[in-house]
Amino acid sequence: MGWIDALLGKHGRSFIKRKDSDAGEAGRALEELRGAIYNDLRSAEGAKRQQQRFCGPAVAMTFNFLVSVGIILTNKYVMGKVGFNFPIFLTLIHYTVAWILLAIFKALSLLPVSPASKTTPFSSLFTLGVVMSFATGLANTSLKHNSVGFYQMTKIAVTPTIVVSEFILFRKTISYQMILALFVVSAGVAVATVTDLEFNLFGAFISIAWIIPSAVNKIMWSKLQKDSNWTALALMWKTTPITVFFLVALMPWLDPPGALSFKWDLNNSSAILISALLGFFLQWSGALALGATSAIAHVVLGQFKTCAIMLGGYLLLNSDSGFVSICGAVTAVCGMAVYTSLSLKDSQGSSNKQLPKQNVAIPKPKTNTEDGVESNAAIATTVA
C-alpha cells in the first residue's frame, strides 16, 4: 500500500478521510431524522400535530360535508326501498363496523397513539361514549316519529344550547359578529325547512331529550381533541365500545320488534353494509371537523348541508320547494358564509398557537483546517 500512499500524498489521504467522515455523519443524520419521524407518529403529541398539519378546518369540513350527503342518500334508500325501519339497530350496525375497522387499524399499527391516561380521566371517555349513543340514537328516532319541520326546529335549538352550555361550563364567549351570523343562519334555516309542524307527543319528547346530548356530544369531541392531544381515530377507539353497549340497551325501548326476522339477502345486506361504511367515515370526518373548528361550526355545517340539498334539488332537479323556502335557504347560506369565514380565521390563529414544537439536531457541515477536519457543531432548528 506504500505506493498508493506515495501516489496520493498527504492531501489525498486527507480528502479520503474527509469524505468517509462526511458519509458517516450523513448516515447518522439520516438515522436521527428517521427516528424523529417515527417518534413523531408514535406519540400522542406527534399524532395530533400530523392531524392538524394535514387535516385543517377547510379539509375536515369538506370531508364531513361530502360524506354526510352520501350517507343521507344511502340511509334514505336503506330505510325506504330496503325497508329497514330500525333506526337504533342501524346505528348499532354503524358503530359495530366502525369498531371492527378500528381494531384492524390497531392490529396493523395504523391507529394513532392515545394520550397518557392521567391526562384524561376515564369518566370523561365514559361520559362521551354514553352521550354519543343517546345523541345518535335519539336523532334517528326523532326523525322517524316527527315531521321534517319539527325535526329541523329541534336541530336549530342545538345552536343556542351549545352557546349557553359553553358559557356556563367554560366561560367561553363569541363575538357579536358571530352571534349575528348565527341568528341569520337560524332564521334562514327555519324559513327554508320548517314548512310543517305536526305535533306528536312521543316524538316531541324524544326531540327535546335529544337536544342536550347532541350539544354535549359536540362540545366534548371538540374540547378533548383541542385540550388533551386526542386525535379523532384514537378517541373513536376509546369511546366506540361504550357507545355500542348503550345502543344495545336502547334497542328494546326505541326500536320496533322484528329486526331479526328482516330479509337479510345479498342486496339488502350490501346496502346496509355500505351505509355502515359511510357511517364510519361520517363519524371520523365529524370528529375531525369538531377537532379542527368548534361545536357551533359543526352545527352550522349540518345546516348548510340541509340548505345545499334543497338548493341543489331546485337548480339541478327542478324541484319546487317554494319561493319563500328558497329565499330562506339563500339567506341561511349567506349567514353561514360569514360565520365560517370568522370561524376559520379564529381556528387557524389558535391552531398555530397550539402546534407543539420539536427541536431536532441537524449536524453542521464540517469545515476544513490545514491538518485535518474540525469537530462537528450541531445547530438546533425548530420544526413545527
Side-chain angles (χ1 to χ4, degrees), residues 197-213:
L197 285 175
E198 298 176 7
F199 183 78
N200 179 290
L201 183 60
F202 179 74
F205 175 76
I206 293 295
S207 295
I208 294 173
W210 167 76
I211 292 174
I212 293 179

Side-chain angles (χ1 to χ4, degrees), residues 108-191:
L108 297 176
S109 299
L110 298 176
L111 197 69
V113 176
S114 302
S117 57
K118 61 182 180 181
T119 62
T120 306
F122 177 75
S123 58
S124 297
L125 300 176
F126 182 80
T127 301
L128 178 57
V130 174
V131 167
M132 191 160 51
S133 65
F134 280 91
T136 53
L138 293 178
N140 291 334
T141 307
S142 173
L143 184 58
K144 178 182 177 182
H145 290 281
N146 288 304
S147 64
V148 176
F150 197 91
Y151 177 73
Q152 290 295 336
M153 283 296 293
T154 55
K155 285 183 66 175
I156 293 171
V158 173
T159 302
T161 304
I162 291 176
V163 174
V164 173
S165 299
E166 289 187 327
F167 177 76
I168 294 175
L169 296 175
F170 312 116
R171 291 290 182 252
K172 181 180 178 180
T173 59
I174 61 176
S175 65
Y176 289 110
Q177 293 91 339
M178 286 189 174
I179 293 176
L180 180 60
L182 289 173
F183 176 79
V184 173
V185 170
S186 299
V189 171
V191 171

Side-chain angles (χ1 to χ4, degrees), residues 60-62 64-65 289 296-306:
M61 295 178 76
T62 302
N64 185 242
F65 172 77
I296 299 176
H298 191 254
V299 174
V300 173
L301 177 63
Q303 294 170 339
F304 174 73
K305 287 178 283 189
T306 302

Side-chain angles (χ1 to χ4, degrees), residues 368-380:
N368 293 338
T369 60
E370 275 187 346
D371 296 331
V373 183
E374 288 185 355
S375 61
N376 274 349
I379 303 174

Side-chain angles (χ1 to χ4, degrees), residues 312-328:
Y314 174 75
L315 296 174
L316 301 177
L317 304 176
N318 296 321
S319 61
D320 187 12
S321 301
F323 178 75
V324 175
S325 295
I326 296 300
C327 290

